[in-house]
Amino acid sequence: MREFKLFIDGQFVDAASDETYESVNPANREAVATVALGGPADVSRACEAAQRAFEGEWGAMTCADRSAILAKAADLIEARTDEFAQLETLDVGKPIAEATAIDVPAAVNYLRWYADVTDAAVGEHITIPNAAQIDFTLRQPYGVVGGIAPWNFPLFLAMLKIGPALAVGNAIVFKPASITPMSTVTVCECFAEAGLPAGALNVITGPGRSVGEALVTDPRVQMVSFTGSTEVGRRVIELSAGNITNVSMELGGKSPNIVFDDADFDQAVAGAVFGLLLNNGQNCIAGTRLLVQKGVYDDICAAVAAKLDSLRVGDPMAPETQLGAIVSQEQFDKVVGYIEIGREEGATVAAGGTVPEGDEFANGWFVRPTLLTGCTNAMRCSREEIFGPVLAAIPFEDEEDAIRIANDTEYGLGSGVFTTDADRAQRMVRALQSGTVYVNTFNQVYPQSPFPGWKQSGTGVERGVQGLLTYTRFKNVIWDISGEPIGWFG
Ligand code: NAD
């Protein structure tokens, strides 16, 4: 069985406690690795190393130096695409085809983009009413930042934090989700080989309660970038009050995907299916509420149901598999539980709704992609984040009704609109209360595009140049060029 250690100060090391835990393959519940069980003492060592790196060799590097290291690391990850895809599939249960075609290339693509923008965190000149003084702003790195990520896209989400943090010159202590640590620990090899100075990147594996909390409350950590559930995000915000630590939050979602009766039928059906099923529905922005205008509701639901039923659920390592396993027992119980809740609330199971049968599914956490029809927005299956392959289809009357239902949620991460009417699309884009709006598409992401969360889906911005600035702090400079003393009391 493979062993994964902590990465502190440029070295792979055991946890201070010497303890380990096992990482399990969701497709068969077999242990695939032993992983160092980090704790507060390890976080403290990592923060110390990060502080040293920031005050030393790493902090002294130029934008060009940092750019070259990040670009080289991206090349090294790309060269190991198959290995990273396998680690991701073994840890998360996602299909190997998806891990190879989406997860690893996206991680490489984002890291390359961060390598290109190491000099993009620029300040500006401010016009003030005093010609004898110059006012300008600087954007500077925080020093040591903390990164905490969930389990759904481990390598990609690691690059979304490590990339911008390093690009602008911070050192980072990063905590992957405890159940999906393998790709993140392995990627440290690529950064070390690319020439990243010791301590600039540190990875501590272990539980959120100990590792995560120690990281958020360490006084050397000046900023924390957190991606995960709204519930844990709330806890991290509470903890950040102790040292008034800056926090950036990417949290949960329950995104509406809205289909008007003038939409292109095939485009809407494909958008509904992909909007739900990227990563088996274990995707923060997934369009898990399908709002369909009444005149086309039955036809759209029938076509979506047929498509869901046609998808190949199977062994994540098999190249032809389209939907793999659910990541853990806890998540499996949650998904199956919500299908049952939907039934009890009066929804009809129009597709899936069951666990697939057969030997290959016997020991894993598999669920068929599920469409619940006849839902209202008041039902729990329509309001609460399930984080699995379950779609709640809700009928609506007209534009006003669609906006009301779409915005009737505590979340505000994403929305989708399918229509051929550009005026309507413009009105919807402005009315929808979410950080991202897709028109006639869904689940598209680009390194250049910011990804803000509205309402309880987050604070601040990650990704894009705006997200790069999240990893910097602002300084204003006022510089007197008159050569005269301040005229205070004459
Ligand atoms: P989670 O909130 O349970 O865990 C996220 C991370 O926080 C993990 O590394 C976990 O170990 C750590 N953690 C747990 N308790 C902690 C604590 N007390 N202090 C500090 N850290 C702690 O989320 P999850 O189940 O891993 O992931 C699913 C969630 O992530 C969903 O809600 C999903 O919407 C969200 N998500 C959001 C985005 C986004 O960009 N908005 C992207 C991906 C996932």
mmCIF file of all heavy atoms in Angstrom, residues 280-329:
data_model
loop_
_atom_site.group_PDB
_atom_site.id
_atom_site.type_symbol
_atom_site.label_atom_id
_atom_site.label_comp_id
_atom_site.label_asym_id
_atom_site.label_seq_id
_atom_site.Cartn_x
_atom_site.Cartn_y
_atom_site.Cartn_z
ATOM 1 N N ASN A 280 -20.387 13.609 -11.070
ATOM 2 C CA ASN A 280 -21.456 12.860 -10.416
ATOM 3 C C ASN A 280 -22.322 13.735 -9.499
ATOM 4 O O ASN A 280 -22.835 13.278 -8.479
ATOM 5 C CB ASN A 280 -20.859 11.700 -9.611
ATOM 6 C CG ASN A 280 -21.764 10.468 -9.627
ATOM 7 O OD1 ASN A 280 -22.855 10.503 -10.194
ATOM 8 N ND2 ASN A 280 -21.316 9.403 -9.003
ATOM 9 N N GLY A 281 -22.458 15.000 -9.862
ATOM 10 C CA GLY A 281 -23.287 15.899 -9.044
ATOM 11 C C GLY A 281 -22.571 16.415 -7.812
ATOM 12 O O GLY A 281 -23.130 17.214 -7.061
ATOM 13 N N GLN A 282 -21.334 15.979 -7.609
ATOM 14 C CA GLN A 282 -20.567 16.407 -6.426
ATOM 15 C C GLN A 282 -19.777 17.664 -6.814
ATOM 16 O O GLN A 282 -18.559 17.656 -6.892
ATOM 17 C CB GLN A 282 -19.660 15.273 -5.966
ATOM 18 C CG GLN A 282 -20.456 14.011 -5.646
ATOM 19 C CD GLN A 282 -19.569 12.787 -5.444
ATOM 20 O OE1 GLN A 282 -19.687 12.097 -4.440
ATOM 21 N NE2 GLN A 282 -18.690 12.509 -6.366
ATOM 22 N N ASN A 283 -20.522 18.704 -7.088
ATOM 23 C CA ASN A 283 -19.957 19.908 -7.688
ATOM 24 C C ASN A 283 -20.713 21.084 -7.080
ATOM 25 O O ASN A 283 -21.942 21.111 -7.092
ATOM 26 C CB ASN A 283 -20.169 19.805 -9.207
ATOM 27 C CG ASN A 283 -19.813 21.065 -9.939
ATOM 28 O OD1 ASN A 283 -19.078 21.906 -9.430
ATOM 29 N ND2 ASN A 283 -20.342 21.211 -11.133
ATOM 30 N N CYS A 284 -19.955 22.059 -6.551
ATOM 31 C CA CYS A 284 -20.593 23.150 -5.801
ATOM 32 C C CYS A 284 -21.626 23.907 -6.621
ATOM 33 O O CYS A 284 -22.667 24.293 -6.124
ATOM 34 C CB CYS A 284 -19.522 24.109 -5.306
ATOM 35 S SG CYS A 284 -18.421 24.678 -6.613
ATOM 36 N N ILE A 285 -21.324 24.136 -7.894
ATOM 37 C CA ILE A 285 -22.205 24.986 -8.710
ATOM 38 C C ILE A 285 -23.245 24.160 -9.481
ATOM 39 O O ILE A 285 -24.036 24.718 -10.244
ATOM 40 C CB ILE A 285 -21.354 25.862 -9.657
ATOM 41 C CG1 ILE A 285 -22.146 27.095 -10.106
ATOM 42 C CG2 ILE A 285 -20.825 25.070 -10.836
ATOM 43 C CD1 ILE A 285 -21.310 28.152 -10.805
ATOM 44 N N ALA A 286 -23.276 22.859 -9.270
ATOM 45 C CA ALA A 286 -24.177 21.980 -10.035
ATOM 46 C C ALA A 286 -25.593 22.550 -10.103
ATOM 47 O O ALA A 286 -26.136 23.037 -9.107
ATOM 48 C CB ALA A 286 -24.208 20.591 -9.402
ATOM 49 N N GLY A 287 -26.199 22.456 -11.287
ATOM 50 C CA GLY A 287 -27.575 22.941 -11.466
ATOM 51 C C GLY A 287 -28.543 21.893 -10.966
ATOM 52 O O GLY A 287 -29.091 21.105 -11.725
ATOM 53 N N THR A 288 -28.763 21.884 -9.651
ATOM 54 C CA THR A 288 -29.526 20.801 -9.031
ATOM 55 C C THR A 288 -31.016 21.089 -8.920
ATOM 56 O O THR A 288 -31.784 20.241 -8.507
ATOM 57 C CB THR A 288 -28.973 20.493 -7.629
ATOM 58 O OG1 THR A 288 -28.794 21.728 -6.936
ATOM 59 C CG2 THR A 288 -27.654 19.762 -7.716
ATOM 60 N N ARG A 289 -31.385 22.350 -9.268
ATOM 61 C CA ARG A 289 -32.830 22.654 -9.347
ATOM 62 C C ARG A 289 -33.126 22.960 -10.810
ATOM 63 O O ARG A 289 -32.646 23.947 -11.354
ATOM 64 C CB ARG A 289 -33.172 23.891 -8.503
ATOM 65 C CG ARG A 289 -33.186 23.608 -7.011
ATOM 66 C CD ARG A 289 -33.696 24.824 -6.258
ATOM 67 N NE ARG A 289 -32.824 25.979 -6.382
ATOM 68 C CZ ARG A 289 -33.241 27.244 -6.368
ATOM 69 N NH1 ARG A 289 -34.527 27.516 -6.258
ATOM 70 N NH2 ARG A 289 -32.377 28.232 -6.451
ATOM 71 N N LEU A 290 -33.883 22.094 -11.461
ATOM 72 C CA LEU A 290 -34.224 22.300 -12.873
ATOM 73 C C LEU A 290 -35.588 22.981 -12.928
ATOM 74 O O LEU A 290 -36.619 22.352 -12.664
ATOM 75 C CB LEU A 290 -34.247 20.953 -13.600
ATOM 76 C CG LEU A 290 -34.519 21.026 -15.101
ATOM 77 C CD1 LEU A 290 -33.390 21.775 -15.826
ATOM 78 C CD2 LEU A 290 -34.656 19.617 -15.681
ATOM 79 N N LEU A 291 -35.572 24.267 -13.246
ATOM 80 C CA LEU A 291 -36.827 25.035 -13.324
ATOM 81 C C LEU A 291 -37.265 25.041 -14.789
ATOM 82 O O LEU A 291 -36.520 25.535 -15.648
ATOM 83 C CB LEU A 291 -36.601 26.478 -12.849
ATOM 84 C CG LEU A 291 -36.673 26.762 -11.346
ATOM 85 C CD1 LEU A 291 -35.817 25.838 -10.524
ATOM 86 C CD2 LEU A 291 -36.286 28.221 -11.063
ATOM 87 N N VAL A 292 -38.442 24.479 -15.067
ATOM 88 C CA VAL A 292 -38.868 24.353 -16.466
ATOM 89 C C VAL A 292 -40.242 25.005 -16.642
ATOM 90 O O VAL A 292 -41.165 24.753 -15.843
ATOM 91 C CB VAL A 292 -38.949 22.860 -16.896
ATOM 92 C CG1 VAL A 292 -39.200 22.760 -18.399
ATOM 93 C CG2 VAL A 292 -37.678 22.110 -16.530
ATOM 94 N N GLN A 293 -40.367 25.801 -17.716
ATOM 95 C CA GLN A 293 -41.643 26.480 -17.974
ATOM 96 C C GLN A 293 -42.720 25.430 -18.269
ATOM 97 O O GLN A 293 -42.460 24.412 -18.935
ATOM 98 C CB GLN A 293 -41.494 27.456 -19.146
ATOM 99 C CG GLN A 293 -42.601 28.477 -19.165
ATOM 100 C CD GLN A 293 -42.224 29.733 -19.950
ATOM 101 O OE1 GLN A 293 -41.234 29.762 -20.692
ATOM 102 N NE2 GLN A 293 -43.023 30.782 -19.785
ATOM 103 N N LYS A 294 -43.929 25.689 -17.780
ATOM 104 C CA LYS A 294 -44.967 24.643 -17.759
ATOM 105 C C LYS A 294 -45.225 23.984 -19.116
ATOM 106 O O LYS A 294 -45.361 22.772 -19.200
ATOM 107 C CB LYS A 294 -46.262 25.213 -17.176
ATOM 108 C CG LYS A 294 -46.180 25.248 -15.658
ATOM 109 C CD LYS A 294 -47.519 25.465 -14.984
ATOM 110 C CE LYS A 294 -47.332 25.331 -13.464
ATOM 111 N NZ LYS A 294 -48.286 26.117 -12.696
ATOM 112 N N GLY A 295 -45.267 24.789 -20.193
ATOM 113 C CA GLY A 295 -45.596 24.227 -21.513
ATOM 114 C C GLY A 295 -44.621 23.156 -21.994
ATOM 115 O O GLY A 295 -44.992 22.298 -22.808
ATOM 116 N N VAL A 296 -43.369 23.201 -21.531
ATOM 117 C CA VAL A 296 -42.381 22.216 -22.007
ATOM 118 C C VAL A 296 -41.898 21.291 -20.876
ATOM 119 O O VAL A 296 -41.001 20.475 -21.077
ATOM 120 C CB VAL A 296 -41.156 22.915 -22.668
ATOM 121 C CG1 VAL A 296 -41.558 23.572 -23.990
ATOM 122 C CG2 VAL A 296 -40.512 23.938 -21.737
ATOM 123 N N TYR A 297 -42.523 21.441 -19.712
ATOM 124 C CA TYR A 297 -42.054 20.706 -18.517
ATOM 125 C C TYR A 297 -42.025 19.187 -18.751
ATOM 126 O O TYR A 297 -40.996 18.531 -18.534
ATOM 127 C CB TYR A 297 -42.948 21.051 -17.320
ATOM 128 C CG TYR A 297 -42.527 20.407 -16.016
ATOM 129 C CD1 TYR A 297 -41.543 20.985 -15.217
ATOM 130 C CD2 TYR A 297 -43.106 19.213 -15.580
ATOM 131 C CE1 TYR A 297 -41.156 20.396 -14.019
ATOM 132 C CE2 TYR A 297 -42.725 18.616 -14.393
ATOM 133 C CZ TYR A 297 -41.751 19.213 -13.608
ATOM 134 O OH TYR A 297 -41.355 18.630 -12.430
ATOM 135 N N ASP A 298 -43.128 18.635 -19.230
ATOM 136 C CA ASP A 298 -43.201 17.173 -19.374
ATOM 137 C C ASP A 298 -42.185 16.670 -20.391
ATOM 138 O O ASP A 298 -41.508 15.654 -20.162
ATOM 139 C CB ASP A 298 -44.614 16.747 -19.795
ATOM 140 C CG ASP A 298 -45.596 16.918 -18.644
ATOM 141 O OD1 ASP A 298 -45.134 17.065 -17.489
ATOM 142 O OD2 ASP A 298 -46.819 16.937 -18.897
ATOM 143 N N ASP A 299 -42.077 17.381 -21.521
ATOM 144 C CA ASP A 299 -41.162 16.920 -22.577
ATOM 145 C C ASP A 299 -39.700 17.025 -22.138
ATOM 146 O O ASP A 299 -38.902 16.113 -22.377
ATOM 147 C CB ASP A 299 -41.367 17.745 -23.860
ATOM 148 C CG ASP A 299 -42.692 17.406 -24.530
ATOM 149 O OD1 ASP A 299 -43.314 16.392 -24.128
ATOM 150 O OD2 ASP A 299 -43.105 18.157 -25.427
ATOM 151 N N ILE A 300 -39.366 18.138 -21.506
ATOM 152 C CA ILE A 300 -37.973 18.297 -21.037
ATOM 153 C C ILE A 300 -37.657 17.235 -19.987
ATOM 154 O O ILE A 300 -36.615 16.566 -20.044
ATOM 155 C CB ILE A 300 -37.741 19.724 -20.468
ATOM 156 C CG1 ILE A 300 -37.795 20.769 -21.567
ATOM 157 C CG2 ILE A 300 -36.436 19.798 -19.659
ATOM 158 C CD1 ILE A 300 -36.537 20.939 -22.406
ATOM 159 N N CYS A 301 -38.560 17.044 -19.041
ATOM 160 C CA CYS A 301 -38.297 16.051 -17.979
ATOM 161 C C CYS A 301 -38.164 14.647 -18.569
ATOM 162 O O CYS A 301 -37.287 13.876 -18.150
ATOM 163 C CB CYS A 301 -39.404 16.079 -16.918
ATOM 164 S SG CYS A 301 -39.322 17.548 -15.873
ATOM 165 N N ALA A 302 -39.008 14.322 -19.551
ATOM 166 C CA ALA A 302 -38.936 12.983 -20.159
ATOM 167 C C ALA A 302 -37.586 12.791 -20.858
ATOM 168 O O ALA A 302 -36.956 11.723 -20.741
ATOM 169 C CB ALA A 302 -40.084 12.805 -21.155
ATOM 170 N N ALA A 303 -37.135 13.825 -21.554
ATOM 171 C CA ALA A 303 -35.856 13.702 -22.278
ATOM 172 C C ALA A 303 -34.675 13.631 -21.295
ATOM 173 O O ALA A 303 -33.729 12.863 -21.505
ATOM 174 C CB ALA A 303 -35.687 14.883 -23.230
ATOM 175 N N VAL A 304 -34.745 14.409 -20.222
ATOM 176 C CA VAL A 304 -33.667 14.362 -19.219
ATOM 177 C C VAL A 304 -33.659 12.986 -18.544
ATOM 178 O O VAL A 304 -32.599 12.374 -18.368
ATOM 179 C CB VAL A 304 -33.833 15.496 -18.169
ATOM 180 C CG1 VAL A 304 -32.882 15.297 -16.989
ATOM 181 C CG2 VAL A 304 -33.603 16.866 -18.816
ATOM 182 N N ALA A 305 -34.842 12.479 -18.216
ATOM 183 C CA ALA A 305 -34.935 11.160 -17.565
ATOM 184 C C ALA A 305 -34.334 10.080 -18.468
ATOM 185 O O ALA A 305 -33.565 9.214 -18.010
ATOM 186 C CB ALA A 305 -36.389 10.836 -17.245
ATOM 187 N N ALA A 306 -34.671 10.123 -19.763
ATOM 188 C CA ALA A 306 -34.156 9.117 -20.703
ATOM 189 C C ALA A 306 -32.630 9.192 -20.761
ATOM 190 O O ALA A 306 -31.942 8.157 -20.777
ATOM 191 C CB ALA A 306 -34.760 9.346 -22.088
ATOM 192 N N LYS A 307 -32.096 10.400 -20.782
ATOM 193 C CA LYS A 307 -30.640 10.561 -20.841
ATOM 194 C C LYS A 307 -29.988 10.029 -19.559
ATOM 195 O O LYS A 307 -28.978 9.309 -19.609
ATOM 196 C CB LYS A 307 -30.308 12.051 -21.052
ATOM 197 C CG LYS A 307 -28.855 12.347 -21.236
ATOM 198 C CD LYS A 307 -28.344 11.843 -22.581
ATOM 199 C CE LYS A 307 -26.831 11.977 -22.652
ATOM 200 N NZ LYS A 307 -26.252 11.298 -23.778
ATOM 201 N N LEU A 308 -30.560 10.364 -18.412
ATOM 202 C CA LEU A 308 -29.969 9.892 -17.139
ATOM 203 C C LEU A 308 -29.969 8.365 -17.098
ATOM 204 O O LEU A 308 -28.984 7.744 -16.687
ATOM 205 C CB LEU A 308 -30.743 10.439 -15.935
ATOM 206 C CG LEU A 308 -30.743 11.951 -15.695
ATOM 207 C CD1 LEU A 308 -31.326 12.277 -14.316
ATOM 208 C CD2 LEU A 308 -29.354 12.552 -15.798
ATOM 209 N N ASP A 309 -31.077 7.775 -17.534
ATOM 210 C CA ASP A 309 -31.166 6.307 -17.494
ATOM 211 C C ASP A 309 -30.189 5.642 -18.449
ATOM 212 O O ASP A 309 -29.845 4.468 -18.279
ATOM 213 C CB ASP A 309 -32.601 5.861 -17.817
ATOM 214 C CG ASP A 309 -33.514 5.981 -16.594
ATOM 215 O OD1 ASP A 309 -32.980 5.999 -15.456
ATOM 216 O OD2 ASP A 309 -34.743 6.068 -16.768
ATOM 217 N N SER A 310 -29.764 6.381 -19.483
ATOM 218 C CA SER A 310 -28.868 5.776 -20.492
ATOM 219 C C SER A 310 -27.394 5.834 -20.084
ATOM 220 O O SER A 310 -26.546 5.231 -20.739
ATOM 221 C CB SER A 310 -29.039 6.493 -21.832
ATOM 222 O OG SER A 310 -28.397 7.773 -21.778
ATOM 223 N N LEU A 311 -27.084 6.566 -19.031
ATOM 224 C CA LEU A 311 -25.666 6.759 -18.685
ATOM 225 C C LEU A 311 -25.077 5.518 -18.022
ATOM 226 O O LEU A 311 -25.773 4.805 -17.284
ATOM 227 C CB LEU A 311 -25.511 7.978 -17.765
ATOM 228 C CG LEU A 311 -25.873 9.314 -18.442
ATOM 229 C CD1 LEU A 311 -25.932 10.450 -17.421
ATOM 230 C CD2 LEU A 311 -24.877 9.649 -19.550
ATOM 231 N N ARG A 312 -23.788 5.281 -18.297
ATOM 232 C CA ARG A 312 -23.129 4.081 -17.755
ATOM 233 C C ARG A 312 -22.522 4.357 -16.385
ATOM 234 O O ARG A 312 -21.508 5.058 -16.262
ATOM 235 C CB ARG A 312 -22.010 3.624 -18.704
ATOM 236 C CG ARG A 312 -22.500 2.923 -19.952
ATOM 237 C CD ARG A 312 -21.322 2.373 -20.759
ATOM 238 N NE ARG A 312 -20.403 3.421 -21.183
ATOM 239 C CZ ARG A 312 -20.560 4.153 -22.274
ATOM 240 N NH1 ARG A 312 -21.591 3.963 -23.066
ATOM 241 N NH2 ARG A 312 -19.682 5.096 -22.586
ATOM 242 N N VAL A 313 -23.174 3.818 -15.345
ATOM 243 C CA VAL A 313 -22.605 3.879 -13.999
ATOM 244 C C VAL A 313 -21.708 2.657 -13.874
ATOM 245 O O VAL A 313 -22.106 1.563 -14.291
ATOM 246 C CB VAL A 313 -23.717 3.807 -12.924
ATOM 247 C CG1 VAL A 313 -23.129 3.923 -11.519
ATOM 248 C CG2 VAL A 313 -24.768 4.893 -13.162
ATOM 249 N N GLY A 314 -20.511 2.811 -13.350
ATOM 250 C CA GLY A 314 -19.671 1.618 -13.273
ATOM 251 C C GLY A 314 -18.362 1.847 -12.551
ATOM 252 O O GLY A 314 -18.167 2.881 -11.901
ATOM 253 N N ASP A 315 -17.479 0.865 -12.716
ATOM 254 C CA ASP A 315 -16.156 0.908 -12.098
ATOM 255 C C ASP A 315 -15.451 2.189 -12.561
ATOM 256 O O ASP A 315 -15.210 2.376 -13.752
ATOM 257 C CB ASP A 315 -15.385 -0.338 -12.559
ATOM 258 C CG ASP A 315 -13.927 -0.296 -12.117
ATOM 259 O OD1 ASP A 315 -13.572 0.607 -11.335
ATOM 260 O OD2 ASP A 315 -13.158 -1.167 -12.578
ATOM 261 N N PRO A 316 -15.088 3.066 -11.636
ATOM 262 C CA PRO A 316 -14.472 4.329 -12.039
ATOM 263 C C PRO A 316 -13.192 4.148 -12.849
ATOM 264 O O PRO A 316 -12.832 5.009 -13.635
ATOM 265 C CB PRO A 316 -14.187 5.021 -10.702
ATOM 266 C CG PRO A 316 -15.081 4.373 -9.712
ATOM 267 C CD PRO A 316 -15.294 2.980 -10.178
ATOM 268 N N MET A 317 -12.508 3.018 -12.665
ATOM 269 C CA MET A 317 -11.253 2.793 -13.391
ATOM 270 C C MET A 317 -11.490 2.310 -14.827
ATOM 271 O O MET A 317 -10.560 2.282 -15.626
ATOM 272 C CB MET A 317 -10.401 1.757 -12.654
ATOM 273 C CG MET A 317 -9.597 2.349 -11.529
ATOM 274 S SD MET A 317 -8.406 3.582 -12.160
ATOM 275 C CE MET A 317 -7.548 3.973 -10.657
ATOM 276 N N ALA A 318 -12.720 1.923 -15.164
ATOM 277 C CA ALA A 318 -13.006 1.455 -16.529
ATOM 278 C C ALA A 318 -13.154 2.674 -17.444
ATOM 279 O O ALA A 318 -13.886 3.604 -17.115
ATOM 280 C CB ALA A 318 -14.282 0.620 -16.532
ATOM 281 N N PRO A 319 -12.463 2.666 -18.598
ATOM 282 C CA PRO A 319 -12.458 3.866 -19.446
ATOM 283 C C PRO A 319 -13.840 4.271 -19.953
ATOM 284 O O PRO A 319 -14.079 5.438 -20.236
ATOM 285 C CB PRO A 319 -11.540 3.482 -20.607
ATOM 286 C CG PRO A 319 -11.063 2.115 -20.369
ATOM 287 C CD PRO A 319 -11.610 1.591 -19.088
ATOM 288 N N GLU A 320 -14.767 3.295 -20.068
ATOM 289 C CA GLU A 320 -16.082 3.623 -20.645
ATOM 290 C C GLU A 320 -17.072 4.141 -19.581
ATOM 291 O O GLU A 320 -18.174 4.568 -19.910
ATOM 292 C CB GLU A 320 -16.679 2.410 -21.366
ATOM 293 C CG GLU A 320 -17.057 1.227 -20.503
ATOM 294 C CD GLU A 320 -15.873 0.329 -20.117
ATOM 295 O OE1 GLU A 320 -14.718 0.676 -20.451
ATOM 296 O OE2 GLU A 320 -16.094 -0.701 -19.465
ATOM 297 N N THR A 321 -16.673 4.134 -18.318
ATOM 298 C CA THR A 321 -17.598 4.567 -17.261
ATOM 299 C C THR A 321 -17.864 6.069 -17.334
ATOM 300 O O THR A 321 -16.949 6.864 -17.479
ATOM 301 C CB THR A 321 -17.015 4.192 -15.878
ATOM 302 O OG1 THR A 321 -17.058 2.767 -15.765
ATOM 303 C CG2 THR A 321 -17.802 4.815 -14.738
ATOM 304 N N GLN A 322 -19.151 6.424 -17.244
ATOM 305 C CA GLN A 322 -19.525 7.843 -17.283
ATOM 306 C C GLN A 322 -19.818 8.389 -15.894
ATOM 307 O O GLN A 322 -19.620 9.570 -15.633
ATOM 308 C CB GLN A 322 -20.745 8.033 -18.191
ATOM 309 C CG GLN A 322 -20.416 7.748 -19.654
ATOM 310 C CD GLN A 322 -21.645 7.707 -20.519
ATOM 311 O OE1 GLN A 322 -22.559 6.921 -20.285
ATOM 312 N NE2 GLN A 322 -21.680 8.536 -21.540
ATOM 313 N N LEU A 323 -20.322 7.546 -15.001
ATOM 314 C CA LEU A 323 -20.568 7.970 -13.623
ATOM 315 C C LEU A 323 -19.957 6.944 -12.681
ATOM 316 O O LEU A 323 -20.257 5.750 -12.785
ATOM 317 C CB LEU A 323 -22.070 8.078 -13.356
ATOM 318 C CG LEU A 323 -22.806 9.177 -14.141
ATOM 319 C CD1 LEU A 323 -24.292 9.106 -13.860
ATOM 320 C CD2 LEU A 323 -22.265 10.546 -13.789
ATOM 321 N N GLY A 324 -19.131 7.410 -11.776
ATOM 322 C CA GLY A 324 -18.433 6.499 -10.878
ATOM 323 C C GLY A 324 -19.150 6.367 -9.548
ATOM 324 O O GLY A 324 -20.385 6.339 -9.481
ATOM 325 N N ALA A 325 -18.326 6.305 -8.489
ATOM 326 C CA ALA A 325 -18.878 6.079 -7.154
ATOM 327 C C ALA A 325 -19.034 7.409 -6.413
ATOM 328 O O ALA A 325 -18.455 8.420 -6.780
ATOM 329 C CB ALA A 325 -17.940 5.157 -6.383
ATOM 330 N N ILE A 326 -19.826 7.350 -5.345
ATOM 331 C CA ILE A 326 -19.954 8.480 -4.421
ATOM 332 C C ILE A 326 -18.780 8.373 -3.442
ATOM 333 O O ILE A 326 -18.380 7.274 -3.056
ATOM 334 C CB ILE A 326 -21.295 8.384 -3.661
ATOM 335 C CG1 ILE A 326 -22.472 8.369 -4.641
ATOM 336 C CG2 ILE A 326 -21.436 9.481 -2.622
ATOM 337 C CD1 ILE A 326 -22.773 9.657 -5.327
ATOM 338 N N VAL A 327 -18.255 9.507 -3.002
ATOM 339 C CA VAL A 327 -16.943 9.507 -2.347
ATOM 340 C C VAL A 327 -16.860 8.726 -1.031
ATOM 341 O O VAL A 327 -15.815 8.158 -0.713
ATOM 342 C CB VAL A 327 -16.467 10.965 -2.142
ATOM 343 C CG1 VAL A 327 -17.252 11.637 -1.028
ATOM 344 C CG2 VAL A 327 -14.972 11.049 -1.871
ATOM 345 N N SER A 328 -17.930 8.695 -0.254
ATOM 346 C CA SER A 328 -17.814 8.101 1.096
ATOM 347 C C SER A 328 -19.162 7.552 1.551
ATOM 348 O O SER A 328 -20.213 7.884 0.980
ATOM 349 C CB SER A 328 -17.357 9.169 2.101
ATOM 350 O OG SER A 328 -18.357 10.176 2.210
ATOM 351 N N GLN A 329 -19.109 6.764 2.602
ATOM 352 C CA GLN A 329 -20.347 6.225 3.200
ATOM 353 C C GLN A 329 -21.263 7.370 3.636
ATOM 354 O O GLN A 329 -22.480 7.348 3.394
ATOM 355 C CB GLN A 329 -19.977 5.364 4.413
ATOM 356 C CG GLN A 329 -21.163 4.742 5.130
ATOM 357 C CD GLN A 329 -21.730 3.541 4.372
ATOM 358 O OE1 GLN A 329 -20.998 2.631 4.039
ATOM 359 N NE2 GLN A 329 -23.018 3.565 4.086
#
